[in-house]
Amino acid sequence: MAAKLKKGDTVVVLTGKDKGKQGEITAVMPKENKAIVDGVNVAIRHTKQSAASQGGRLPKAMPIDLSNLAIVDKNGKATRVGFRMEGDKKVRYAKSTGEAI
């Protein structure tokens, strides 16, 4: 199945403790149906000091389920994603505005 959300997309969180927050997708895990979004679902991780890093209490963005995310259109509102054929290419578009994403 084609991916509705991809790395680099700006999304808004629909449910949960971070509802309404916007961020950019940094990683997508299709097998787990999750994505990592900058500034969303941040947890504190205690890391041990090593030669490469300082260690301590570091904030880390944790994965969030794809069903809790919606892509942001040009107006800044959450929208659904559709697919259409333009020539011989499959193109994603915002259902609210009809524009390609």
Side-chain angles (χ1 to χ4, degrees), residues 79-84 91-101:
T79 184
R80 290 181 294 198
V81 177
F83 295 95
R84 65 178 167 221
V91 177
R92 295 185 307 158
Y93 73 97
K95 289 211 174 183
S96 62
T97 59
E99 290 188 356
I101 298 174

Side-chain angles (χ1 to χ4, degrees), residues 6-79:
K6 295 182 179 181
K7 181 178 176 180
D9 287 344
T10 303
V11 293
V12 63
V13 179
L14 300 175
T15 59
K17 65 176 183 171
D18 293 323
K19 181 178 179 178
K21 285 189 182 177
Q22 290 188 7
E24 185 176 319
I25 294 179
T26 57
V28 178
M29 297 163 271
K31 287 189 179 176
E32 292 102 48
N33 202 35
K34 293 183 182 278
I36 296 176
V37 182
D38 278 340
V40 174
N41 200 23
V42 176
I44 301 294
R45 288 287 167 244
H46 296 73
T47 58
K48 194 171 183 178
Q49 184 175 355
S50 67
S53 64
Q54 177 64 27
R57 299 178 66 218
L58 304 174
K60 180 181 179 186
M62 302 303 287
I64 187 167
D65 204 82
L66 291 176
S67 64
N68 296 335
L69 301 174
I71 199 160
V72 176
D73 64 1
K74 66 171 185 154
N75 300 328
K77 298 198 175 194
T79 184

